[in-house]
């Protein structure tokens, strides 16, 4: 029900400001994800002052639903970092070997199929920041050279089909409604890129 609502909402939302949403290279995405992993570790502990101990600060691990959510976030950031670092290393290979190296990234083998060959990363770095790992493709009738090798047409829009492989939101954001709104805005912006294509 929630997914259906989000998809209907995407049809009525205009794309967000295009200046904030941009394509970034996998190495930058990997470095930003590594930074976010550090932020996630910082918010994993709750710090409080204990009067019985003379007013000293004490840290304790989160528990309950928040701990479960943070554990899932940690796994998501690990996979997102591994995918982007793998893409960045594959892009350093010889020109003829880049696609083969991208297809060998273990975390981008989904249901037994390699998904790394046509992956790219889009980011919105305004608060709350999001990053989207996207697989792009082109329609079979567009292979005649109108679309560049990255699945973009001459107008800067996405052409053909695309599939979201990962969508992350800055880990310091904890409000579920804000996280959902950031995810919807990222998907809306991607839909806007497809419409421009």
């Amino acid at each position: 029900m929630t997914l259906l609502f989000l998809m209907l909402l995407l049809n009525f939302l205009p794309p967000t400001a295009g200046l904030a949403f941009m394509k970034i290279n996998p190495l930058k995405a990997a470095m930003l994800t590594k930074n976010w992993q550090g932020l996630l570790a910082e918010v994993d502990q709750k710090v409080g002052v204990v009067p019985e101990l003379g007013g000293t600060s004490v840290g304790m691990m989160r528990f309950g639903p928040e701990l479960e959510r943070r554990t899932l976030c940690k796994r998501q950031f690990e996979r997102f970092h591994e995918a982007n670092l793998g893409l960045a290393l594959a892009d350093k290979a010889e020109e003829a070997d880049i696609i083969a190296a991208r297809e060998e990234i273990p975390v981008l083998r989904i249901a037994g199929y390699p998904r790394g060959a046509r992956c790219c990363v889009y980011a919105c770095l305004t608060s709350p920041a999001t990053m989207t790992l996207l697989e792009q493709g082109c329609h079979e009738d567009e292979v005649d050279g109108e679309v560049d090798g990255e699945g973009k047409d001459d107008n800067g829009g996405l052409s053909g089909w695309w599939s979201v492989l990962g969508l992350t939101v800055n880990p310091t954001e904890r409000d579920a409604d804000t996280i959902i709104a950031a995810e919807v805005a990222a998907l809306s912006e991607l839909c806007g890129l497809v419409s421009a294509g």
Side-chain angles (χ1 to χ4, degrees):
M1 182 69 177
T2 304
L3 183 60
L4 178 62
F5 172 74
L6 288 175
M7 294 309 290
L8 290 173
L9 186 62
L10 284 175
N11 289 330
F12 297 107
L13 283 177
T16 58
L19 294 176
F21 194 79
M22 65 186 132
K23 187 174 182 177
I24 62 174
N25 70 42
L27 183 58
K28 287 181 183 177
M31 291 175 6
L32 184 56
T33 307
K34 194 66 168 173
N35 184 348
W36 284 4
Q37 285 176 305
L39 293 175
L40 182 65
E42 290 174 12
V43 296
D44 270 347
Q45 292 195 6
K46 196 167 38 173
V47 176
V49 176
V50 180
E52 295 83 22
L53 297 176
T56 59
S57 295
V58 174
M60 69 172 142
M61 293 301 291
R62 295 189 181 278
F63 56 90
E66 180 67 9
L67 177 62
E68 181 181 344
R69 187 177 79 79
R70 286 288 169 192
T71 303
L72 292 174
C73 281
K74 181 179 179 181
R75 284 191 206 134
Q76 177 186 14
F77 286 118
E78 288 169 354
R79 290 180 56 85
F80 203 84
H81 179 262
E82 184 180 340
N84 283 297
L85 188 59
L87 290 170
L89 292 174
D91 290 346
K92 299 271 185 211
E94 297 292 327
E95 189 72 31
D97 299 331
I98 290 177
I99 291 178
R102 281 175 155 245
E103 289 179 346
E104 294 300 318
I105 301 169
V107 74
L108 291 178
R109 289 191 72 81
I110 300 171
Y113 295 99
R115 300 287 182 202
R118 293 178 172 237
C119 280
C120 62
V121 182
Y122 281 86
C124 176
L125 301 178
T126 59
S127 183
T130 62
M131 283 193 293
T132 307
L133 182 62
L134 189 70
E135 179 186 20
Q136 299 176 206
C138 59
H139 296 299
E140 291 178 12
D141 58 346
E142 294 178 336
V143 188
D144 60 0
E146 294 176 18
V147 178
D148 69 17
E150 297 178 344
K152 289 189 98 166
D153 67 5
D154 294 334
N155 300 326
L158 289 174
S159 178
W161 57 268
W162 50 274
S163 179
V164 175
L165 301 179
L167 176 59
T168 62
V169 179
N170 186 331
T172 57
E173 186 56 59
R174 291 191 218 163
D175 181 48
D177 292 334
T178 305
I179 292 170
I180 291 169
E183 291 171 342
V184 168
L187 293 173
S188 175
E189 189 65 38
L190 287 170
C191 288
L193 288 175
V194 169
S195 298

